[in-house]
Amino acid sequence: MSDLLHAYARVAGNDAVDHLQQLSAPLKGAKFVHVNSTRVGGGVAEILMKMVPLMNELGIDTSWEVISGEDKFYQCTKSMHNALQGDPVHISEDLLKAYEETNSKNADILRPILEDADYVIIHDLQPAPLLTLCPNRKGKWVWRCHIDASKPHPPVWNYLSQYVKDYDASFFSLADFAQQLPHTQYLIPPSIDPLSDKNMDLDQTEIESTYEEFDLDRKRPIMLQVSRYDRFKDPLGVIDAYKLTKQSVPEIQLVLAGGGATDDPEGEEVLREVRDAAGDDPDIHILLLPPDAHKTINALQRISDIVLQKSLKEGFGLTVTEAMWKGKPVIGGNTGGIRLQVINHHTGFLVDTPEGAALRIQQLLSDPEKLKEMGRKAKEYVRNNFLMTRHLREILSLFTILDNQSKT
Ligand code: UDP
């Protein structure tokens, strides 16, 4: 077994790695391609960054391709993203044309790789039309929807489903997100990589230096939300929760840690709204981090007393798993994938309002034993359910099923 697989076995157990080796043995040498629309920023890039090397380590010839486009393409795909998460947005013909043309241009570049691949996973809606643009494909193609599509805006879903319906299968994080489609849909929640810079153990000096770097007072409690600046992440709701908490815990400090994703054009506008709401409060720290600030985020999650993820819609929320892995109970929005991770009153609290969040923050701050006990449960819950070894096992099982189906 290689050093890397040994390292996974130490965290996830030998059985988890044995199982992966068994499932990957028949796929050795097969060409596997993942496609998404950004190499940095957001959960999909975070997963692929670590899953692709692990697949190669297991002997599956895996590559990661990224489609790109101009401003209109990202405007269109961000609107589609918002529409799948329920916003009743109208997308103009002009933007749809940019979407189709961008996919067509990317298909011209990627066609040789994609048509030759044995297995393809297309992540999210940005590259969804690639399947129809690769008529001589020989492999199995699966569409992976990472977002909360529980109540998509019908005209936008109707448009996208014309591309999605022809895939061999699709998979979602939650049963609630499944759609009317003519193929089998699977449930495979995402995961974190426990060996990555984002999640590995850090030495104490690295953790301690974070206080100074961001001018945080180590003697006072810290609440944190890590997220792209996106309205669905509800950063303004977090500021409201902080302000309510401040009334009874005046020493509280808030850190909002975020950065951009290259396929998210709305970030700057949301960041402006967040800065306006924060005003000149010196205890609100709004951080704009570079995309490779993994250890910084790791350390921030470790020094925080309270971690929030107050999203209004959430496909999964890797930030929740990341914090739980560091032994923090999470106060999360009662929505989507957060519900899969935050088991109310056990691994954290589910909340619907800033008032609810403030109440739970105060409760946890006043009961350090409870905070510690919930954090311990949260970490074990992640170990048993949301590590990359489980995630990859389910993906390889899915393709094994598809292969077996085509043999019978
Ligand atoms: N993230 C990051 N820097 C940031 C903000 C987020 O590295 O400034 C990471 C975060 O740690 C997590 C991922 O991006 O790994 C976000 O994934 P999540 O599923 O929480 O949300 P998404 O952005 O995909 O909606």
Side-chain angles (χ1 to χ4, degrees):
M1 202 191 276
S2 70
D3 289 352
L4 184 67
L5 294 182
H6 264 302
Y8 279 108
R10 272 197 297 279
V11 185
N14 285 328
D15 285 356
V17 172
D18 284 352
H19 208 155
L20 279 180
Q21 288 181 306
Q22 281 168 28
L23 281 165
S24 53
L27 308 182
K28 278 214 166 60
K31 291 200 177 75
F32 202 119
V33 186
H34 290 272
V35 186
N36 82 325
S37 61
T38 178
R39 221 168 265 285
V40 287
V44 183
E46 189 81 20
I47 291 167
L48 292 180
M49 224 180 287
K50 305 311 284 187
M51 184 175 280
V52 170
L54 176 57
M55 292 178 76
N56 280 302
E57 189 73 35
L58 288 162
I60 307 167
D61 178 1
T62 311
S63 66
W64 171 12
E65 307 298 335
V66 176
I67 63 160
S68 61
E70 306 295 328
D71 288 355
K72 273 189 185 173
F73 172 70
Y74 296 114
Q75 264 177 47
C76 179
T77 56
K78 183 71 188 185
S79 301
M80 286 174 165
H81 177 114
N82 292 344
L84 283 199
Q85 297 212 132
D87 275 1
V89 286
H90 171 74
I91 304 178
S92 68
E93 284 300 320
D94 188 37
L95 289 187
L96 291 178
K97 195 161 156 248
Y99 177 68
E100 290 159 15
E101 283 177 2
T102 302
N103 267 285
S104 180
K105 278 187 198 150
N106 280 277
D108 289 344
I109 300 165
L110 295 176
R111 197 170 288 112
I113 298 170
L114 293 176
E115 288 192 339
D116 190 40
D118 300 293
Y119 305 104
V120 177
I121 300 185
I122 298 291
H123 293 265
D124 279 337
L125 53 93
Q126 296 88 340
L130 287 178
L131 175 129
T132 45
L133 296 162
C134 292
N136 298 319
R137 63 189 179 274
K138 62 170 193 166
K140 299 272 182 280
W141 283 55
V142 171
W143 185 62
R144 200 309 180 210
C145 178
H146 289 268
I147 56 187
D148 180 342
S150 48
K151 288 197 184 71
H153 182 48
V156 174
W157 173 249
N158 290 342
Y159 171 84
L160 283 170
S161 64
Q162 66 175 316
Y163 297 117
V164 172
K165 69 179 176 32
D166 292 331
Y167 281 74
D168 295 301
S170 50
F171 66 105
F172 299 81
S173 299
L174 245 75
D176 281 358
F177 304 164
Q179 300 297 324
Q180 289 285 342
L181 284 166
H183 54 237
T184 310
Q185 298 169 65
Y186 294 82
L187 297 180
I188 305 184
S191 61
I192 57 161
D193 179 4
L195 307 180
S196 66
D197 285 353
K198 180 75 55 65
N199 298 305
M200 65 196 276
D201 289 342
L202 296 177
D203 46 49
Q204 205 50 32
T205 44
E206 235 168 337
I207 298 174
E208 294 282 319
S209 64
T210 312
Y211 291 106
E212 245 166 66
E213 188 178 350
F214 298 111
D215 199 20
L216 293 163
D217 183 346
R218 70 185 63 213
K219 298 204 186 77
R220 295 196 278 137
I222 297 171
M223 54 187 269
L224 168 76
Q225 175 158 300
V226 176
S227 279
R228 289 179 294 107
Y229 290 101
D230 179 310
R231 291 192 185 92
F232 283 120
K233 307 286 182 185
D234 200 20
L236 299 183
V238 174
I239 293 178
D240 287 345
Y242 155 85
K243 287 180 176 167
L244 288 164
T245 306
K246 191 98 180 155
Q247 292 168 12
S248 51
V249 188
E251 63 276 22
I252 190 86
Q253 306 167 85
L254 169 64
V255 178
L256 287 167
T262 51
D263 60 351
D264 181 355
E266 285 177 4
E268 280 179 31
E269 196 182 322
V270 177
L271 181 58
R272 266 196 301 279
E273 293 166 11
V274 168
R275 287 191 168 130
D276 283 351
D280 54 7
D281 185 335
D283 284 335
I284 303 183
H285 301 257
I286 299 167
L287 313 183
L288 196 56
L289 299 173
D292 58 353
H294 302 299
K295 282 198 175 174
T296 303
I297 290 176
N298 186 338
L300 284 168
Q301 287 165 333
R302 288 176 196 277
I303 65 167
S304 295
D305 299 280
I306 301 287
V307 177
L308 282 109
Q309 190 55 55
K310 224 207 95 10
S311 307
L312 303 170
K313 288 271 181 179
E314 191 61 79
F316 183 69
L318 285 180
T319 50
V320 175
T321 339
E322 289 162 5
M324 287 168 64
W325 183 242
K326 283 131 201 160
K328 308 289 167 171
V330 172
I331 298 175
N334 184 11
T335 188
I338 296 177
R339 290 189 190 136
L340 211 57
Q341 306 177 68
V342 175
I343 309 303
N344 208 8
H345 295 265
H346 292 278
T347 63
F349 290 107
L350 292 170
V351 297
D352 293 294
T353 58
E355 290 76 10
L359 192 76
R360 295 306 186 191
I361 295 168
Q362 289 163 50
Q363 185 183 349
L364 283 178
L365 286 177
S366 65
D367 191 348
E369 276 312 307
K370 187 177 179 78
L371 198 154
K372 217 161 133 191
E373 174 58 13
M374 286 175 86
R376 196 191 52 72
K377 286 186 191 158
K379 179 160 189 174
E380 282 319 295
Y381 199 64
V382 171
R383 192 190 307 280
N384 293 327
N385 296 285
F386 301 121
L387 295 185
M388 182 146 296
T389 38
R390 186 278 309 155
H391 187 187
L392 185 53
R393 183 185 76 222
E394 292 184 348
I395 289 178
L396 297 181
S397 302
L398 161 53
F399 281 98
T400 306
I401 293 169
L402 293 178
D403 272 346
N404 288 342
Q405 277 171 352
S406 56
K407 280 184 204 145
T408 53

